[in-house]
Amino acid sequence: MDIVPEVRALERHLDARIDDALVRWLRLCCVSRGHTHRCHRGGRCRHRRQKFTLALRMHFSPHPEPSPVCYCRQVYKGILPLRRANNFTASLSRLCNNSAHCRLRGTPPGAFRHGGRVSDPTQIEGMLNNLVYNLFAQSGQDDRRGAGPKEIGNLVVFDHPESVDKIAKAPALFRKNFSLISALGFSRFNTNDDEWATRRAITQDRYLAAAKPAHNQSVHDIFAACLAGCETSLAGIQQGLFAGAMTIFYRAFGLAAEVRPTAALLDRVRVVLRRLQYYSWVTPTNAERNSAIGDARAVVADFGAQIMADRQAAAEMDRFSEQASEIEGFSPIEEFVMNLFAGIETTVTTVLWVLDRLGANQKVQERIHDEISGDRPQTPFTDCFINETMRYFPPIPFLTREVSTSTDLDGTALRAGQLVMLSVVGVHQHPEFWENPRTFDASRKEFIDNSFDRRAFIPFLTGPRMCGGARLGRLEVEQAVRAVVRQFAFARADDIIRFDYALALRPASGMSVTVSRR
């Protein structure tokens, strides 16, 4: 299975939305189609990336000029000096973000603009999914040819494992900045320095205690019980997985989960997060911004009402507040909600991708079923398959960081206040560290032999700010997969991969996976 055909299909879809006049004037990054196919592979890939970035921008940008042709001429004038200098590989995204071009389009530098109402869920979903497709389009390529840094929008993209490792292990220099997403509140996930350390201490001991090997069987039993009564469908299994993960999370804090109302609130959180993330990329109107922030505060308030109605939960929130007494304006509800969403969403997302890949390969599915059903103490093939799933479909496909002090990283100059993107997709598919990185390999040699470079496999990230619940998350994924495979079998009618991205990368709903009970 290779995702490249799906990316190319998306490129063709976006190409259809670019005016023919624009294509004629730009000549696909100032070169003809013939030249694009004649140049070496690296150049061809760069041209594709430039065309893709341009298509993404044009899809969400109205023409400020009276006619598309006038607009195309203005863009062409900006590119003409690059063409005369034979600098065919200069990034179009730089042109789209420079101040002159932004004045032409009436757009703040670095921001996407859109046509029509951005509150349309389909448009929001499409734009965010396209960002992830773009990461896949850029990944798996040897970037040692000196083509310069990769870019998406106005963000420099780092996807070399060594560079990403340096960034992740320097949290004082590369700080977390979640922009509008912080409208849902502040937590250990979007704060820095001493405040982050204080917030981390509130929950970290609970995660470590819940992840002890002694809990393996109880975690498996929780998932097995939640799945036993669920509907025999992918949607039913998803609900069972959420119920199991939610139960385990609440138990880690000594609480009992109200599954149905909490699941409904988590669905609202995901919808709000998608809008807030979209508005972090696309400049909203004041009304849109206020509406999104209002929805975020409303869902947090509803969560708070539910939690505080339970005496034990209210006491746990008091413990949160006591440990964070030095943090001004601390909200235990915000801390709890963001921990809950992050922990449950990434766990269920990973298991859903495992099931999707099992449906695509019946022989692999039966081999894993036999290995799990044998109750063996070690399940190396199953473990390899889970690792390969997290490598190919990382639950968090990318991160952003803000540079606190001007610096130089691997030849790229970075200024204070600049945002950079860390592509986990790119790290997991870097050709210097993986053999055939763009192919999903159920028995990948690097995992079977345990020979992979730890810097090139970071599903739970790395460094001081790596996922605090990584051990518990890994335990849940392993036991959930065992519980599901024992009860269900899966089949796919095709192998077309589609995403549903909202901070975490889920398989899109409506995938052609059929389910039957064993």
Side-chain angles (χ1 to χ4, degrees):
M1 185 275 299
D2 193 332
I3 205 165
V4 175
E6 183 70 11
V7 173
R8 289 173 180 163
L10 180 67
E11 288 180 346
R12 290 193 296 271
H13 168 72
L14 291 177
D15 278 346
R17 295 178 178 270
I18 305 176
D19 297 285
D20 291 339
L22 181 63
V23 175
R24 288 197 302 272
W25 279 106
L26 295 184
R27 294 290 192 271
L28 297 181
C29 306
C30 309
V31 293
S32 68
R33 288 184 183 271
H35 177 83
T36 301
H37 289 282
R38 286 197 304 270
C39 63
H40 58 75
R41 185 178 183 276
R44 179 171 176 264
C45 291
R46 284 194 296 273
H47 296 325
R48 174 175 289 126
R49 288 200 302 272
Q50 293 160 1
K51 183 178 73 172
F52 188 94
T53 300
L54 177 66
L56 184 64
R57 287 185 169 280
M58 293 302 298
H59 179 50
F60 296 101
S61 302
H63 294 298
E65 297 292 336
S67 74
V69 174
C70 293
Y71 176 67
C72 298
R73 287 186 178 129
Q74 293 293 332
V75 175
Y76 183 71
K77 288 178 182 178
I79 294 178
L80 190 59
L82 303 178
R83 185 180 184 185
R84 287 172 177 165
N86 292 321
N87 188 8
F88 295 139
T89 61
S91 174
L92 279 178
S93 60
R94 291 179 184 171
L95 172 70
C96 292
N97 276 306
N98 69 34
S99 57
H101 184 66
C102 291
R103 285 195 298 272
L104 166 69
R105 297 170 61 187
T107 306
F112 287 112
R113 294 298 295 175
H114 54 79
R117 292 285 299 171
V118 296
S119 56
D120 177 9
T122 302
Q123 183 171 336
I124 292 174
E125 179 181 341
M127 186 272 185
L128 293 178
N129 288 342
N130 288 349
L131 289 175
V132 180
Y133 277 121
N134 203 354
L135 289 178
F136 274 94
Q138 292 187 359
S139 68
Q141 300 165 9
D142 191 339
D143 55 4
R144 292 174 295 179
R145 296 180 181 271
K150 299 174 182 177
E151 294 181 346
I152 291 182
N154 68 323
L155 301 188
V156 175
V157 179
F158 289 96
D159 61 4
H160 194 287
E162 293 177 359
S163 300
V164 172
D165 189 68
K166 292 176 184 177
I167 294 173
K169 292 180 178 177
L173 180 58
F174 298 96
R175 299 166 63 81
K176 286 200 172 185
N177 182 336
F178 275 63
S179 187
L180 269 178
I181 297 173
S182 296
L184 265 172
F186 292 94
S187 68
R188 63 181 290 172
F189 300 103
N190 59 350
T191 50
N192 296 284
D193 305 325
D194 292 342
E195 181 177 344
W196 164 76
T198 300
R199 290 177 180 273
R200 176 184 181 275
I202 296 172
T203 53
Q204 193 60 30
D205 289 346
R206 299 297 196 273
Y207 291 147
L208 294 177
K212 290 181 178 179
H215 296 300
N216 284 11
Q217 189 60 49
S218 63
V219 169
H220 176 275
D221 292 345
I222 289 171
F223 279 114
C226 291
L227 292 165
C230 76
E231 178 184 307
T232 306
S233 67
L234 205 57
I237 291 173
Q238 178 174 304
Q239 291 176 0
L241 291 171
F242 269 110
M246 200 181 304
T247 301
I248 293 163
F249 180 90
Y250 271 77
R251 284 193 181 185
F253 292 91
L255 306 175
E258 296 183 55
V259 174
R260 288 185 180 275
T262 304
L265 286 170
L266 284 176
D267 285 341
R268 286 175 58 192
V269 169
R270 194 169 195 271
V271 171
V272 169
L273 274 173
R274 194 200 301 271
R275 287 177 63 199
L276 293 172
Q277 188 171 22
Y278 178 79
Y279 290 144
S280 296
W281 286 87
V282 178
T283 307
T285 65
N286 288 336
E288 290 162 346
R289 179 191 298 269
N290 293 338
S291 173
I293 292 175
D295 289 346
R297 304 318 301 161
V299 72
V300 171
D302 290 346
F303 245 118
Q306 176 184 302
I307 292 171
M308 299 307 288
D310 180 88
R311 183 175 299 178
Q312 277 188 296
E316 183 67 3
M317 294 303 97
D318 288 341
R319 182 185 71 82
F320 276 34
S321 296
E322 289 174 6
Q323 288 193 238
S325 58
E326 297 179 357
I327 300 176
E328 184 178 355
F330 175 81
S331 167
I333 303 300
E334 293 174 0
E335 188 73 41
F336 187 82
V337 169
M338 292 308 296
N339 276 264
L340 173 65
F341 179 82
I344 292 177
E345 179 72 15
T346 52
T347 295
V348 174
T349 287
T350 300
V351 178
L352 290 175
W353 279 119
V354 170
L355 305 185
D356 180 89
R357 293 298 85 207
L358 288 176
N361 193 321
Q362 296 301 308
K363 290 183 178 179
V364 167
Q365 183 175 177
E366 291 310 310
R367 180 176 174 182
I368 288 178
H369 178 261
D370 292 344
E371 187 176 70
I372 289 173
S373 300
D375 292 324
R376 303 167 189 171
Q378 302 296 325
T379 54
F381 186 70
T382 303
D383 296 341
C384 172
F385 191 83
I386 291 173
N387 281 338
E388 177 67 352
T389 301
M390 290 193 292
R391 183 194 73 85
Y392 206 89
F393 301 106
I396 306 297
F398 68 88
L399 306 161
T400 57
R401 291 290 186 267
E402 181 179 349
V403 182
S404 62
T405 305
S406 296
T407 187
D408 184 278
L409 180 64
D410 296 335
T412 300
L414 302 173
R415 66 183 185 279
Q418 180 177 355
L419 291 177
V420 297
M421 179 183 287
L422 283 60
S423 172
V424 180
V425 171
V427 168
H428 284 186
Q429 297 195 14
H430 202 284
E432 291 182 28
F433 294 79
W434 302 98
E435 184 177 348
N436 298 321
R438 300 187 76 156
T439 299
F440 187 97
D441 185 353
S443 55
R444 179 164 290 278
K445 184 177 183 293
E446 293 94 332
F447 289 132
I448 293 292
D449 297 342
N450 196 27
S451 60
F452 63 94
D453 191 313
R454 268 50 182 175
R455 296 171 299 176
F457 183 59
I458 53 171
F460 298 103
L461 311 182
T462 187
R465 300 300 301 267
M466 73 174 291
C467 174
R471 293 183 187 176
L472 179 58
R474 179 76 196 205
L475 169 61
E476 288 185 73
V477 169
E478 291 174 352
Q479 297 305 322
V481 168
R482 284 160 173 74
V484 173
V485 170
R486 283 190 170 105
Q487 297 188 41
F488 299 96
F490 305 89
R492 285 205 58 154
D494 58 46
D495 199 16
I496 298 175
I497 304 302
R498 293 187 177 87
F499 306 136
D500 178 13
Y501 173 65
L503 282 188
L505 187 66
R506 284 189 194 177
S509 59
M511 299 281 269
S512 57
V513 179
T514 57
V515 182
S516 59
R517 283 197 178 268
R518 291 187 181 272

